[in-house]
Amino acid sequence: MKMTYREAVREGLRHVLKSDPRVFLMGEDVGRYGGAFAVSKGLLAEFGPDRIRDTPLSESTFTGAGIGAAIGGMRPIVEIMTVNFSMLALDQIVNSAAALRHMSGGQISVPLVVRMATGGGRQLAAQHSHSLEGWYAHVPGIKVLAPATPNDARGMLVAAIEDPDPVFIFEHATLYPVEGEVDDPFQPVDISRSTIRRAGTDVSIFAYGGSLGKALQASDDLTTAGISAEVVDIRVLRPLDEATILESVSRTHRVVVVDEMWRTGSFAGEISALIMEKAFYDLDAPVVRVCSAEVPMPYAKHMEAAALPQTANIVAAAQEILGRHG
């Protein structure tokens, strides 16, 4: 069965709203407008205003309300329009949601799910297009997911709502119209493991979210050049599935990490450091990172495309570390 990424998230929401009366969705324009990306379209009519709640433009306030509701026994899902706007709620997220279990000696859990769009590629310029999920993966006390397929988008949401601790789901905004296969009947998705999307022997390409499709296209292009590239979908940024990464390195001995964050302080840097610490002697070449240019995301289409990691950059990086130039 096929559906778009947008439909898959909506189906995940519908599933958890039907399954548990404690679940409710809140955020800016999630009700009458149907969500900034039309993800929640129709849910207000189906579940009513007590379960689908429009909020004021105040990220700190409604994220804090979600934390309070979770502590009080509800299962809130908070939608933040884009990761850029989530900066306004950082105090609630880092100092409350992520810390309360530890600060209370395990007495207080915060079963909160926060969804937000991330990433560039839609000509929305710097305040709507950045990829900051790696910042959240820095914070202990929360789980960070980055589904790249419709099946993961639906299944991870359902798994997240069952988690006793805060789970943050980063949905790359360019993926919403993308269609893909989903499990029928529905199957939960493991939110503790990465997954290998394509097996290979010459080089490992690690990617997640909006970069996965580019990594798979790069793998296709490399195949025509006689290079077998393994593509690993990281998909769970915290806790990071180190075993799948290290096993892939042990098979291919060369690594390209694709990450839409800026190179400095990127999540790609974390993966690279992990490999250097635990798989250094498996490497036949230095790890290569393919990241965004270190500039605020441009508006102009050609400038934005130049700032983001592209398939050609991934192919060139793989060819470089293999010593085979196209």
Side-chain angles (χ1 to χ4, degrees):
M1 179 171 65
K2 283 189 174 182
M3 63 176 63
T4 66
Y5 191 96
R6 175 185 292 108
E7 292 166 341
V9 178
R10 188 185 303 135
E11 282 304 304
L13 290 169
R14 182 175 284 117
H15 179 88
V16 297
L17 284 160
K18 285 183 174 178
S19 302
D20 189 338
R22 298 173 300 172
V23 174
F24 67 95
L25 172 70
M26 66 176 172
E28 297 156 350
D29 287 337
V30 300
R32 281 179 290 181
Y33 189 71
F37 298 93
V39 168
S40 54
K41 188 175 182 180
L43 296 183
L44 175 62
E46 187 172 353
F47 294 98
D50 287 345
R51 315 270 317 268
I52 310 295
R53 297 183 172 222
D54 280 321
T55 66
L57 301 177
S58 180
E59 283 77 6
S60 180
T61 301
F62 65 73
T63 302
I67 294 168
I71 294 171
M74 301 297 284
R75 292 291 184 273
I77 300 172
V78 170
E79 177 179 308
I80 299 176
M81 280 188 183
T82 79
V83 67
N84 294 69
F85 303 160
S86 73
M87 301 297 99
L88 296 163
L90 266 183
D91 177 61
Q92 295 288 355
I93 294 167
V94 176
N95 287 326
S96 295
L100 281 172
R101 176 178 288 283
H102 302 273
M103 293 174 66
S104 68
Q107 297 180 80
I108 299 175
S109 63
V110 184
L112 168 73
V113 174
V114 179
R115 300 175 36 247
M116 65 184 91
T118 186
R122 296 166 298 128
Q123 280 193 271
L124 293 178
Q127 294 179 331
H128 299 74
S129 303
H130 288 143
S131 294
L132 305 175
E133 51 275 2
W135 289 8
Y136 288 95
H138 170 71
V139 182
I142 62 177
K143 292 183 175 66
V144 176
L145 312 178
T149 68
N151 196 56
D152 275 3
R154 184 183 64 167
M156 284 184 159
L157 175 62
V158 175
I161 205 70
E162 297 172 354
D163 198 286
D165 294 308
V167 180
F168 285 68
I169 303 176
F170 293 85
E171 301 162 0
H172 198 284
T174 62
L175 294 177
Y176 288 119
V178 173
E179 192 176 61
E181 291 286 343
V182 296
D183 293 333
D184 184 20
F186 169 82
Q187 298 290 329
V189 171
D190 186 349
I191 58 170
S192 67
R193 299 295 303 273
S194 301
T195 188
I196 297 171
R197 298 293 183 188
R198 185 169 300 166
T201 57
D202 293 330
V203 58
S204 296
I205 302 175
F206 297 114
Y208 66 88
S211 295
L212 179 66
K214 296 173 182 176
L216 289 168
Q217 181 59 56
S219 177
D220 287 342
D221 294 350
L222 289 165
T223 298
T224 62
I227 296 172
S228 172
E230 180 158 287
V231 179
V232 180
D233 180 359
I234 299 297
R235 77 176 181 174
V236 182
L237 275 57
R238 186 181 187 98
L240 185 61
D241 175 14
E242 297 184 0
T244 297
I245 294 171
L246 297 175
E247 288 165 8
S248 181
V249 176
S250 72
R251 285 191 293 272
T252 66
H253 310 291
R254 294 175 176 84
V255 174
V256 175
V257 187
V258 187
D259 184 359
E260 207 175 294
M261 293 188 70
W262 295 298
R263 180 187 177 91
T264 301
S266 64
F267 194 72
E270 176 63 26
I271 295 174
S272 178
L274 166 71
I275 294 168
M276 293 297 288
E277 288 172 346
K278 298 188 176 180
F280 178 78
Y281 294 107
D282 283 330
L283 290 173
D284 286 343
V287 174
V288 175
R289 289 180 283 165
V290 178
C291 299
S292 287
E294 307 245 352
V295 296
M297 194 58 62
Y299 170 78
K301 186 175 183 178
H302 67 293
M303 294 290 286
E304 184 185 43
L308 290 167
Q310 302 294 350
T311 298
N313 307 129
I314 304 168
V315 169
Q319 290 176 325
E320 182 68 30
I321 59 174
L322 282 158
R324 304 183 205 176
H325 301 282

